[in-house]
Amino acid sequence: WLSCRLYCEEAKDPKRRSCQTVLAQALDVVVRSFAPILPHLAEEVFQHIPYKKDSEGVFRTGWINASSAWKKPGIEEAIEGACAVRDSFLGSISGKNALEYEVIIVIEPGLLFELMEALQAEETSTVSQLNEIMMASQTTLLSELPKETPADANITKGTFLINLEGGGICEQSSYKVIARPTAKAKCPRCRKYTSESSSTPCPRCLNVLAGKGST
């Protein structure tokens, strides 16, 4: 999902900039980690990082110093839960292109549902963090099964164990994943199936091209 943020969002969009920040932090940690055993390679990488303003080198700028701001309670569990749901989704479509599907995630009210809401505040989205993780064209998050389920939909059940605060909070949650082929056309810009026509960009891309950012 990184490629979608980097290449499809507007240059200054917070989603794109946050992705660049994470990649920059990851590169810094990796380079400093292997510097003691591959010093010349580490120094060469460090000197060619375009956003580095100092020229002291990797060995004179200290060891790894990760900010505590990266550690946010619940985020790790939310991502792990979303990845578990994604595995169920991908398994249900047997190696087919996930972008050709819309996914409905059904979770009873509880901790897992709240964690998924942190990744997608709206009920249905094509641009949320949850949808990016699912790698689908559209993701819908519900607390109960929809009244009508299409005949061509695949329904998969799964469970996920949430473990927060070092085991102080544990909850086994069940979920259902409904995958159905999307009726939308492939956007010629972002390649998601979110467009009304294969010759016209989707609403998100039209906004970006118009300089309005994503919605």
Side-chain angles (χ1 to χ4, degrees), residues 10-210:
E10 192 176 13
K12 295 183 180 180
D13 188 281
K15 287 184 178 181
R16 183 175 185 273
R17 296 293 290 146
S18 66
C19 180
Q20 290 177 312
T21 299
V22 170
L23 291 175
Q25 180 69 17
L27 177 62
D28 186 84
V29 170
V30 170
V31 172
R32 294 183 192 278
S33 296
F34 67 65
I37 56 175
L38 295 171
H40 298 293
L41 176 60
E43 186 62 33
E44 183 177 2
V45 172
F46 199 80
Q47 292 298 332
H48 284 82
I49 295 177
Y51 48 83
K52 286 288 185 184
K53 295 182 179 180
D54 56 73
S55 58
E56 294 184 350
V58 67
F59 293 100
R60 297 193 178 189
T61 53
W63 185 236
I64 299 169
N65 184 24
S67 171
S68 59
W70 292 98
K71 184 63 176 178
K72 294 185 178 180
I75 292 297
E76 181 179 355
E77 290 74 17
I79 298 298
E80 289 179 349
C83 287
V85 175
R86 180 188 64 192
D87 290 344
S88 296
F89 162 55
L90 295 178
S92 71
I93 60 175
S94 303
K96 296 178 182 177
N97 185 0
L99 287 175
E100 296 179 2
Y101 286 81
E102 298 176 3
V103 59
I104 300 174
I105 303 170
V106 183
I107 308 172
E108 293 184 359
L111 190 53
L112 181 59
F113 186 85
E114 293 175 5
L115 291 174
M116 294 303 99
E117 277 191 317
L119 301 175
Q120 179 170 301
E122 57 272 42
E123 184 176 282
T124 299
S125 177
T126 61
V127 297
S128 69
Q129 294 179 73
L130 181 58
N131 187 64
E132 290 178 341
I133 295 173
M134 290 299 110
M135 301 190 298
S137 280
Q138 177 178 289
T139 296
T140 299
L141 179 62
L142 302 175
S143 59
E144 58 183 17
L145 281 170
K147 294 181 179 180
E148 297 183 3
T149 303
D152 59 347
N154 296 322
I155 302 178
T156 305
K157 298 180 181 180
T159 60
F160 181 73
L161 177 62
I162 301 170
N163 194 334
L164 289 172
E165 299 181 5
I169 300 176
C170 290
E171 183 177 298
Q172 182 86 12
S173 299
S174 59
Y175 60 83
K176 295 182 180 69
V177 177
I178 303 173
R180 61 184 183 186
T182 181
K184 298 284 188 176
K186 181 193 287 188
C187 171
R189 182 173 181 270
C190 70
R191 299 185 182 277
K192 283 189 173 183
Y193 287 76
T194 51
S195 181
E196 297 299 327
S197 168
S198 59
S199 61
T200 306
C202 66
R204 187 274 299 271
C205 286
L206 285 174
N207 283 331
V208 172
L209 293 171

